[in-house]
Amino acid sequence: MLRLLVIEGNTPAGRRRIAESAGATPADSYAAELRAIAPDAIVDICTPADGDGTIPQPLDSYDGVAITGSSLNIYQREIESLRQVDFVREVFARGIPMFGSCWGLQLATVAAGGEVGLNPAGREVAFARKVTLTPAGRNHPMHARRDAVFDAPAIHSDIVTRLPQGSIVTARNAMSEVQAAEIRLGRGVFWGVQYHPEYGLHVQYHPEYGLHDIAAVIRRYGQILVTEGFFADLTELERYSADLSTLAANQQRRDIAWRLGLGDDIMKQSVRLTELSNWIASLVLT
């Protein structure tokens, strides 16, 4: 039986803010997705940003560690970020396989000696478009059964600017040269993506659709996205978010999917979860 640990990337205030809009904390949502992939797995959650050092079980008892997204910016060197860097270094040192989304990729990068910064191309909002597997990515088990080019849920303004030595870039797009990568440090191996394959499972919505979390993110950012030019005004932003919420609840609304340019890589849970599912499979095989 697999025992997995989810690292929540947010502070208590950040978790509360996200739960108010999305209905669950990132760690709770991530744990739900992992249980959907591996129903027999034991999935625990820890919050190293809080600094209490509490882990439900000894770290060495876990077969894998997954890392959520976060509203923190790692280059600001806040204590909540540095605590997580130290925690991830310890996971690397113990040789426990890791997987991370967005913040998770950035956290592992810095923990292993790389760098993260603000993306000069701006924020990537709602969906990372035309994510393209590199030659190494096409042969990497993290992306098994992925199309060579695909879209994925995403929301971030920071990117990996320098990977640690020996890392492998497995996917990129026009917004970021590192949309997915493998990072090694000592005995540890990390697989990570800049997008959010875990977005989507929510008790109020059909599990085939990963759009509820995206709609919640857009509403949460609100005026920031209007100021940055993604929407003309808050009315347009709400219209877009409402389309996503409607589509999340009703798989028959092909008109909305067509209008938003969403295909199976976004709409089908089995496709959206490709990298996470492959990571779980790799744990079972080891």
Side-chain angles (χ1 to χ4, degrees):
M1 179 182 297
L2 286 178
R3 183 180 289 275
L4 306 174
L5 180 66
V6 176
I7 297 177
E8 167 63 65
N10 290 279
T11 64
R15 298 197 293 274
R16 286 192 297 270
R17 185 169 62 252
I18 293 169
E20 287 172 359
S21 64
T25 67
D28 286 335
S29 295
Y30 220 112
E33 291 287 19
L34 292 174
R35 294 186 186 106
I37 297 167
D40 294 330
I42 297 172
V43 185
D44 294 330
I45 293 171
C46 70
T47 56
D50 298 1
D52 58 10
T54 301
I55 306 173
Q57 298 294 329
L59 191 54
D60 286 329
S61 70
Y62 292 101
D63 300 295
V65 173
I67 310 172
T68 74
S70 178
S71 58
L72 295 169
N73 304 99
I74 203 163
Y75 47 80
Q76 292 183 354
R77 311 292 290 177
E78 297 162 308
I79 185 61
E80 293 87 355
S81 298
L82 297 179
R83 288 169 180 157
Q84 295 182 67
V85 171
D86 289 341
F87 190 93
V88 168
R89 283 188 181 134
E90 182 64 22
V91 178
F92 268 126
R94 292 172 184 258
I96 303 170
M98 285 185 283
F99 184 94
S101 306
C102 196
W103 169 257
L105 173 62
Q106 297 167 15
L107 189 60
T109 293
V110 172
E115 297 177 356
V116 170
L118 188 66
N119 190 351
R123 193 185 304 274
E124 194 163 36
V125 177
F127 305 102
R129 301 289 188 174
K130 295 182 179 179
V131 177
T132 302
L133 297 181
T134 65
R138 289 195 290 272
N139 295 309
H140 197 286
M142 175 167 53
H143 302 295
R145 297 178 301 281
R146 263 291 189 193
D147 289 341
V149 181
F150 58 93
D151 295 343
I155 176 75
H156 63 102
S157 58
D158 299 340
I159 57 170
V160 174
T161 56
R162 183 179 63 81
L163 277 167
Q165 185 175 3
S167 300
I168 302 170
V169 177
T170 60
R172 57 170 56 97
N173 75 348
M175 290 295 293
S176 175
E177 280 296 306
V178 185
Q179 281 287 350
E182 176 186 289
I183 299 171
R184 292 178 177 265
L185 180 65
R187 298 187 297 126
V189 180
F190 171 90
W191 293 358
V193 297
Q194 187 57 66
Y195 41 95
H196 286 276
E198 80 281 5
Y199 273 7
L201 191 64
H202 192 274
V203 293
Q204 296 180 6
Y205 292 89
H206 194 288
E208 283 293 304
Y209 292 83
L211 305 176
H212 168 72
D213 289 322
I214 303 169
V217 165
I218 290 171
R219 290 184 172 112
R220 188 162 63 248
Y221 276 79
Q223 184 60 46
I224 293 173
L225 298 182
V226 173
T227 300
E228 292 179 353
F230 291 101
F231 300 95
D233 50 38
L234 288 174
T235 299
E236 185 180 282
L237 179 147
E238 178 54 36
R239 187 180 304 118
Y240 185 88
S241 301
D243 272 349
L244 291 174
S245 295
T246 298
L247 189 55
N250 183 359
Q251 60 181 306
Q252 303 303 318
R253 293 300 303 269
R254 293 172 61 87
D255 58 318
I256 298 177
W258 175 82
R259 184 165 64 249
L260 299 182
L262 305 181
D264 286 351
D265 43 8
I266 299 293
M267 302 298 291
K268 286 191 175 180
Q269 185 188 39
S270 60
V271 180
R272 192 181 67 254
L273 288 174
T274 294
E275 286 81 8
L276 260 177
S277 298
N278 288 336
W279 179 66
I280 293 293
S282 75
L283 300 180
V284 173
L285 293 174
T286 56

